[in-house]
Amino acid sequence: MKKYFLFLVLLTAFSVKSQNTTQKNPIYQLRIYEIFENNKKQFHERFRDHAMRIMKKYNFKIVSIYESKSEKKTEFVYFLEWPDEATMKKAWEDFRKDQEWIDIKKLYTEKYGDVVGNIEDRVLTKLDYSPN
């Protein structure tokens, strides 16, 4: 009985260790949107009150949100965390096809014009020597 118990303990420990070593590091996504001063308030309203809520349905994990302003333009910047690139791509595909999101974008565009200009999208992979 002791041998059987010891075998189960070792098997469990090995199983947990192998799961931990095969677990992937997350990837990060940097999104930068050019926004316009004349309807910046409406952009923030749309993102805060609608986009974030709908993104949550598709398991978007928004890590942080910023605004950057220079003499030439204002930008809205945010970071997302994903378990892997396939999950990220599927979530974005589902979000873009979400009928509520499509309707909201249409409504805001009709009412306020374009609230977003150029969009930059970067997928970031953390390096092994990056601080935690």
Side-chain angles (χ1 to χ4, degrees):
M1 185 67 160
K2 285 183 181 179
K3 286 182 182 178
Y4 179 71
F5 179 71
L6 181 59
F7 175 74
L8 281 177
V9 169
L10 288 173
L11 184 63
T12 303
F14 178 74
S15 174
V16 168
K17 178 150 176 69
S18 69
Q19 286 176 359
N20 288 341
T21 57
T22 59
Q23 197 173 37
K24 292 181 179 180
N25 289 326
I27 62 166
Y28 298 89
Q29 186 178 23
L30 172 65
R31 303 274 298 176
I32 304 170
Y33 298 173
E34 177 185 16
I35 57 177
F36 310 113
E37 287 298 321
N38 66 320
N39 56 13
K40 183 170 82 166
K41 179 182 173 227
Q42 288 78 19
F43 167 82
H44 286 295
E45 177 185 283
R46 185 180 86 170
F47 193 87
R48 180 190 61 239
D49 298 343
H50 302 291
M52 288 179 70
R53 177 178 47 78
I54 297 168
M55 287 172 167
K56 195 172 187 176
K57 286 188 339 189
Y58 300 106
N59 298 313
F60 280 59
K61 183 178 178 186
I62 298 173
V63 176
S64 54
I65 300 173
Y66 307 90
E67 188 173 290
S68 173
K69 192 170 186 174
S70 69
E71 290 178 20
K72 295 182 181 181
K73 61 184 171 181
T74 302
E75 294 175 318
F76 174 79
V77 181
Y78 65 110
F79 285 99
L80 300 113
E81 181 180 315
W82 301 99
D84 54 60
E85 200 162 346
T87 302
M88 177 189 75
K89 287 179 179 180
K90 175 75 170 118
W92 275 108
E93 181 183 321
D94 292 344
F95 172 73
R96 287 183 179 114
K97 290 191 298 190
D98 186 281
Q99 191 58 53
E100 182 184 8
W101 178 239
I102 291 167
D103 294 343
I104 287 167
K105 278 180 63 175
K106 183 179 178 189
L107 175 73
Y108 270 76
T109 301
E110 288 171 355
K111 206 169 181 182
Y112 306 110
D114 290 330
V115 295
V116 175
N118 187 47
I119 297 175
E120 295 180 43
D121 183 26
R122 299 183 187 130
V123 176
L124 310 170
T125 305
K126 199 174 215 181
L127 296 174
D128 61 352
Y129 58 89
S130 174
N132 289 333

